[in-house]
């Protein structure tokens, strides 16, 4: 069983209230080293067998047509989860 991981992020020009809230909280909790936060979302698609180039192409197509809103979001990554990677994390 293989996994395709898709990451979607808000476009840079789109206001990110959740990211701003987290960014404001980090220094209050002692995390001074971070200067900006942008939130996004991750999808994990499971396939039978190993992930192929055809799976990745279909996943990118699904990401652009269904999993993201192209007006405000970019699909930033479509990849096979590595063998040592937990796709649920």
């Amino acid at each position: 069983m293989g996994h395709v991981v898709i990451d979607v992020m808000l476009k840079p020009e789109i206001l990110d209230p959740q990211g701003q809230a987290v960014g404001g909280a980090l220094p209050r909790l002692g995390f001074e080293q971070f200067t900006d936060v942008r939130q996004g979302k991750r999808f994990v698609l499971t396939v039978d067998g190993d992930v192929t180039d055809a799976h990745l192409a279909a996943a990118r197509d699904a990401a652009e047509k269904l999993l993201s809103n192209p007006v405000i979001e970019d699909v930033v990554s479509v990849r096979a989860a590595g063998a040592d990677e937990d796709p649920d994390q």
Side-chain angles (χ1 to χ4, degrees):
M1 176 178 339
H3 302 280
V4 177
V5 178
I6 300 167
D7 293 311
V8 176
M9 296 292 295
L10 288 170
K11 291 182 182 233
E13 62 273 14
I14 300 298
L15 181 64
D16 182 0
Q18 184 178 356
Q20 288 178 331
V22 171
L26 286 171
R28 291 192 302 271
L29 295 172
F31 299 102
E32 302 284 340
Q33 62 271 49
F34 305 109
T35 60
D36 190 35
V37 177
R38 299 290 291 176
Q39 68 91 26
K41 55 189 175 182
R42 170 174 284 184
F43 298 91
V44 178
L45 308 177
T46 303
V47 301
D48 288 329
D50 293 333
V51 175
T52 66
D53 288 342
H55 290 127
L56 293 173
R60 176 160 291 281
D61 194 33
E64 292 170 355
K65 291 181 178 175
L66 175 67
L67 304 178
S68 68
N69 177 344
V71 174
I72 63 168
E73 295 173 319
D74 290 323
V75 177
V76 296
S77 175
V78 176
R79 61 186 174 76
D84 60 341
E85 178 181 8
D86 182 356
D88 296 325
Q89 296 292 323

